[in-house]
């Protein structure tokens, strides 16, 4: 009976697959559908179509029917599908084509009307990826009604205002209230659905949104009935980790696990997982020179809020002021940042930039009252960008009050409240550490970690975020287990050994063992941040250079001609060489002004372009909780010629 059924199935396949070849495959031990699909150059879905029972899993010796490549190609040509896309605010034909990885001409072929421009809420047809579809035009097509235009809606999120929403969609507050007369004279209720364009439908337009959390943006997708979705699928590649996937798709690890419970057991090559909506995906960006895409714009207004605390200086005598300048490190840091910012303003003026700069004393104490006063007195809501204040609570207050004006936090690493217009210019400590792990992983290295038993927080960080890192054990006496260390090293690979301790004796023990093992293995020492213990006389520099010690850093060593010109110009003007804070003031200010002199809006340049200035990188990535964080980190190492170099 089974043989008869198989004959019928094969006969059916020959008919349905247009004479395409089919293959019988017996499942071997340990094989999965993904691996089998890769073996025959087809997709898992191709196999499931012919073997529906396989979706529940396959066991050894199961007989599967595999379509030949020619058969799959034939079927796919017949099954070429199109996608419906609802045009959102600020979208262009080019950006939509880029999103779906198709040509603009293909979209125009399927939608001739788009040549006259796009309208918000318009539904257009997108060809499937890789297809250059041509519509079948017939007489009956002309009689069909035009595609329905869906209303553009907006669900009110925490802290949103009429002004902010209207500005987001390029309309006035009056236009917003005209579309939604029920909100006139009332506060916007959290979660309320506003009509931006079109009319409220007589039938409910499905709105799919994840559970709303405080201060967390809501992904809202409107679509015709039955076509809405909040996830797509992604096939995991070799060496990928749950941390890397979460970073790539702009979500937390917990959110990925909630969608894919199987990730609790680890990430495996070939896994097909659900991911957030496409607009949450962050593409990897190349670092570009913003000066090369400089476009002179209409006058842009920028404010620098710096904590000079002039009121305190006014109360001092000349002698006490001099004394304070010698002792007050915070004031000196402010003045150094300011001196670098002035150099940046001079540079943008020489380029022909059209920037109106206002410098204000933010008078920073732990109170935020001065910030509110400055914003009101100087009409900062009309500005195009604000740099500062320095204290995180003050910069968050500024972002909250300015609503839509980009606010750049120049120095703080502490991220607390998230605002959509807040740009954290300094990478967080965790992002700096994670960049080091990402680098090691990108090199295909074998990663080990030797963590001081007293550094439990570091150990937990590695266990939680980097499960592919092996932890070296310690003996009962609390010393390094040298035998365990050797057993974890791999010949033929670069072995990156992370060392986390400030104990001199343990540093000497670790480096002595690693230097001895270098005869058998390729070993590089790694630290995750600054370690003052390495400056002690007992730790010879030669130990670190022989092991080519790698570490992540917010700052780079720049010996370029451009860096020399900046240094010389700064010295001529200020009679001293620039320190780290002066260079930071230059880099943050120049990068902000250059982004204001691009063709696209500030936030859009941050989404699309990473940059680097004299010492700092600026790779702004949208935070899934709101605002932007800077992921721009350098990987440096000690070379054998006793210099610090940038790792590629």
């Amino acid at each position: 009976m089974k043989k008869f059924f198989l004959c019928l199935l094969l006969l059916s396949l020959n008919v349905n697959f247009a004479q395409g070849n089919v293959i019988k495959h017996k499942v071997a031990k340990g094989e999965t559908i993904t691996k089998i699909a890769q073996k025959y150059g087809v997709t898992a879905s191709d196999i499931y179509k012919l073997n529906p029972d396989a979706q529940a899993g396959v066991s050894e010796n199961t007989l599967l029917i595999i379509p030949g490549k020619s058969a799959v190609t034939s079927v796919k040509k017949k099954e070429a599908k199109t996608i419906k896309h609802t045009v959102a605010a600020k979208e262009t034909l080019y950006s939509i084509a880029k999103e779906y990885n198709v040509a603009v001409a293909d979209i125009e072929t399927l939608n001739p009307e788009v040549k006259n421009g796009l309208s918000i809420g318009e539904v257009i047809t997108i060809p499937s990826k890789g297809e250059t579809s041509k519509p079948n035009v017939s007489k009956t097509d002309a009689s069909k009604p035009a595609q329905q235009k869906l209303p553009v809606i907006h669900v009110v999120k925490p802290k949103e205002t009429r002004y902010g929403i209207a500005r987001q969609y390029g309309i006035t507050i009056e236009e917003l209230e005209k579309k939604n007369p029920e909100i006139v004279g009332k506060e916007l209720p959290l979660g309320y659905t506003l009509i931006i364009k079109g009319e409220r439908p007589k039938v409910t337009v499905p709105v799919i949104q994840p559970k709303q959390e405080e201060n967390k943006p809501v992904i809202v997708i409107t679509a015709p009935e039955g076509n809405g979705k909040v996830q797509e699928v992604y096939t995991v590649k070799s060496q990928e980790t749950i941390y890397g996937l979460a970073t790539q798709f702009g979500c937390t690890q917990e959110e990925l696990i909630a969608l894919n419970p199987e990730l609790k057991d680890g990430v495996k090559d070939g896994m097909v997982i659900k991911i957030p909506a496409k607009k949450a995906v962050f593409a990897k960006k190349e670092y570009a020179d913003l000066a090369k895409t400089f476009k002179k714009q209409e006058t842009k207004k920028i404010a620098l809020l710096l904590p000079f605390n002039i009121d305190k200086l006014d109360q001092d005598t000349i002698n006490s002021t001099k004394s304070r300048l010698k002792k007050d490190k915070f004031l000196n840091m402010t003045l150094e940042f300011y001196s670098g910012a002035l150099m940046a303003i001079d540079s943008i003026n020489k380029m022909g930039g059209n920037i109106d700069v206002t410098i204000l004393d933010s008078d920073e104490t732990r109170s935020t009252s001065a910030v509110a006063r400055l914003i009101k007195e100087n009409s900062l809501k009309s500005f195009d960008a604000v740099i500062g204040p320095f204290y995180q609570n003050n910069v968050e207050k500024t972002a909250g009050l300015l609503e839509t004006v980009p606010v750049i936090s120049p120095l703080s690493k502490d991220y607390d409240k998230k605002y959509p217009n807040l740009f954290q210019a300094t990478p967080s400590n965790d992002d700096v550490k994670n960049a080091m792990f990402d680098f090691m992983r990108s090199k295909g290295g074998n990663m080990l970690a030797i963590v001081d038993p007293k550094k439990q927080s570091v150990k937990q960080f590695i266990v939680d975020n980097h499960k592919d890192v092996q932890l070296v054990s310690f003996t009962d006496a609390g010393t390094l287990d040298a035998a365990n260390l050797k057993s974890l090293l791999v010949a033929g690979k670069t072995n990156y050994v992370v060392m986390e301790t400030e104990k001199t004796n343990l540093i000497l023990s670790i480096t002595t063992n690693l230097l001895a093992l270098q005869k058998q293995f390729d070993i590089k020492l790694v630290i995750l941040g600054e370690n003052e213990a390495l400056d002690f006389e007992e730790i010879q520099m030669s130990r670190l250079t022989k092991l080519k010690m790698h570490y992540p850093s917010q700052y780079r060593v720049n010996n370029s001609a451009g860096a020399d010109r900046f240094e010389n110009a700064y010295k001529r003007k200020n009679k001293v060489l620039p320190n780290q804070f002066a260079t930071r003031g230059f880099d943050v200010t120049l990068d902000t002004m250059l982004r204001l002199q691009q063709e696209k809006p500030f936030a859009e340049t941050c989404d699309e372009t990473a940059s680097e200035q004299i010492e700092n990188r600026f790779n702004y990535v949208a935070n899934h909780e709101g605002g932007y964080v800077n992921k721009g980190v350098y990987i440096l190492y000690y070379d054998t010629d006793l210099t610090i170099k940038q790792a590629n």
Side-chain angles (χ1 to χ4, degrees), residues 18 172 253 555:
T172 64
Q253 295 178 51
Y555 304 99

Side-chain angles (χ1 to χ4, degrees), residues 104 122 135 147 158 166 189 198 250 293 305 308 335 337 355 382 421 489 521 582 591 602:
V104 171
E122 181 178 2
Q147 286 181 317
T293 52
L305 307 187
F308 298 111
L335 293 172
F337 186 96
I355 304 281
S382 65
N421 58 324
L489 296 171
F521 302 95
D591 190 80
F602 188 90

Side-chain angles (χ1 to χ4, degrees), residues 227-241:
N227 291 338
K229 58 180 180 178
V230 290
Q231 295 112 20
E232 296 176 359
V233 294
Y234 176 80
T235 303
V236 175
K237 301 180 181 65
S238 177
Q239 302 292 326
E240 287 189 311
T241 65

Side-chain angles (χ1 to χ4, degrees), residues 154-162 164-165 168 188 403 420:
H154 179 89
V155 177
V156 178
K157 297 184 279 293
K159 300 185 181 298
E160 283 194 316
T161 64
R162 287 172 171 76
I165 295 169
Q168 179 182 344
L188 290 179
E403 298 178 334

